Amino acid sequence: SRAPVFEAVEIDTPVLRLARTAEGAFDVDDVLQRLRSKPGAPRGEPPRFRLRDVSLIRGAVSFDDRVTRRRFSATEIELRLPQLSRLGGDEDETVESTLSLRLGGAPVALAVRSRPFSAERATEASLRVQALDLVPWWAYVEAGAANLPLRLSKGTLEVDLVAQGAWPEGQPMRWALRGRGALADFAVGMPGGAPLVAFRRLEVPIDELRLH
């Protein structure tokens, strides 16, 4: 049967605004509830289609956490997908996708090179984060570690990682990770202000970490 093929799809300047209004509650919960309450369409064969040159440019996301009284933003979001397809004949095709943005002003870049239609489904992904300020995120560390008696006064995160993996059908996923991570200009102390640990830079190299 025939299937639609789109030669190019571009989304320009999309903006998403979210807010957490209470523990476990968000301002979009009513919309999600209405969508979940609608009867689902009968299941059948997945639709066949092909999208080429999918791109999102100048995107932005803002998140207002009214519980912790913090706001977060992702700006300059750029997403490139050379192809999305549910048609056959793509087994030998290599797909290269990229995502870049600024998270609180810090550059973040993700690139993925894969053969998603091959038997091995081999993939290589690289992630780079430059000077991400950790102080706004510390409230979530405290929430995840009950009664953590520490306060982060400053600190930034740097990440430069490459992951290579494969996921053959019917077999467990295999990954190998290499690269480095670093904390810079880091200082943590007691709630009363007494300093506990401070350093200019701590870097952790990863020669190879295998995950099975």
Side-chain angles (χ1 to χ4, degrees):
S1 62
R2 303 181 65 181
V5 175
F6 300 88
E7 292 298 331
V9 177
E10 182 176 290
I11 304 172
D12 192 348
T13 324
V15 176
L16 175 64
R17 296 184 178 90
L18 296 173
R20 184 167 74 139
T21 56
E23 289 289 349
F26 297 85
D27 61 347
V28 295
D29 285 346
D30 57 335
V31 177
L32 298 177
Q33 181 60 37
R34 286 198 297 269
L35 292 175
R36 285 194 293 263
S37 64
K38 291 184 177 180
R43 291 193 174 185
E45 184 179 343
R48 301 172 71 247
F49 65 91
R50 175 175 288 153
L51 303 178
R52 293 195 178 103
D53 294 329
V54 181
S55 62
L56 182 152
I57 60 175
R58 293 185 288 271
V61 176
S62 65
F63 178 61
D64 180 8
D65 191 340
R66 298 169 190 170
V67 178
T68 61
R69 297 183 181 180
R70 293 189 180 276
R71 297 190 177 199
F72 303 89
S73 65
T75 58
E76 301 180 28
I77 301 173
E78 306 274 338
L79 173 66
R80 308 283 179 180
L81 296 173
Q83 179 168 272
L84 290 175
S85 174
R86 290 197 63 89
L87 301 181
D90 302 310
E91 291 78 7
D92 296 326
E93 183 167 350
T94 298
V95 178
E96 298 186 18
S97 307
T98 60
L99 170 67
S100 63
L101 54 90
R102 285 186 174 271
L103 184 58
V108 177
L110 173 67
V112 179
R113 188 173 187 269
S114 65
R115 296 177 61 195
F117 313 110
S118 68
E120 283 288 314
R121 289 188 279 186
T123 299
E124 179 176 291
S126 63
L127 173 65
R128 178 170 291 182
V129 180
Q130 302 178 46
L132 175 64
D133 186 4
L134 295 176
V135 174
W137 304 91
W138 191 252
Y140 302 100
V141 176
E142 293 177 321
N147 301 318
L148 183 68
L150 300 174
R151 295 292 181 270
L152 180 67
S153 58
K154 63 178 181 177
T156 61
L157 173 69
E158 299 175 14
V159 173
D160 191 355
L161 296 174
V162 175
Q164 292 177 309
W167 192 3
E169 188 173 353
Q171 299 182 33
M173 184 184 299
R174 305 189 306 270
W175 284 100
L177 184 68
R178 69 178 189 275
R180 65 175 182 85
L183 296 173
D185 296 324
F186 190 89
V188 66
M190 304 302 290
L196 184 63
V197 176
F199 50 82
R200 181 170 295 178
R201 185 175 182 83
L202 174 64
E203 184 167 316
V204 178
I206 303 174
D207 290 333
E208 186 176 69
L209 177 62
R210 291 190 175 274
L211 305 172
H212 297 281

